[in-house]
Amino acid sequence: MADFQGIADALIKGQAQKVKEMVQQAIKEETAPVDILQNGLIAGMAVVGERFKKNEIYVPEVLIAARAMHAGMNELKRSEER
């Protein structure tokens, strides 16, 4: 089963390469792309958004997390194209 929490945690930390690898693994495990998106990527960005709203993180950290989100989204797009 896909590690949605791991994907979200890596995204929150801005670890784009790790997010990419974890999304690839989830795809190999035949996890539905919509589940990866909602339970991993969007869940992670929701935490980033809350922390930003509370002034716990700032724009640079949000942009780094967004870059990690983009890396995960690219893998989902590639899997859909196959």
Side-chain angles (χ1 to χ4, degrees):
M1 184 174 162
D3 181 11
F4 298 127
Q5 188 61 51
I7 293 170
D9 290 343
L11 187 144
I12 292 164
K13 294 175 186 171
Q15 299 170 331
Q17 185 61 36
K18 187 171 182 180
V19 169
K20 179 181 174 181
E21 291 166 1
M22 293 182 81
V23 169
Q24 287 173 342
Q25 182 60 38
I27 291 167
K28 286 179 188 173
E29 294 171 2
E30 298 184 3
T31 305
V34 68
D35 290 337
I36 299 168
L37 179 64
Q38 290 178 344
N39 301 321
L41 300 173
I42 292 175
M45 283 306 289
V47 172
V48 170
E50 280 299 311
R51 289 183 180 174
F52 180 72
K53 196 184 313 183
K54 294 177 183 175
N55 291 321
E56 294 174 2
I57 62 173
Y58 301 98
V59 172
E61 289 91 347
V62 174
L63 294 175
I64 291 168
R67 193 175 303 144
M69 170 88 171
H70 189 69
M73 291 290 297
N74 282 340
E75 291 308 309
L76 290 176
K77 285 179 189 172
R78 278 193 208 122
S79 75
E80 289 295 306
E81 291 170 358
R82 291 182 201 147

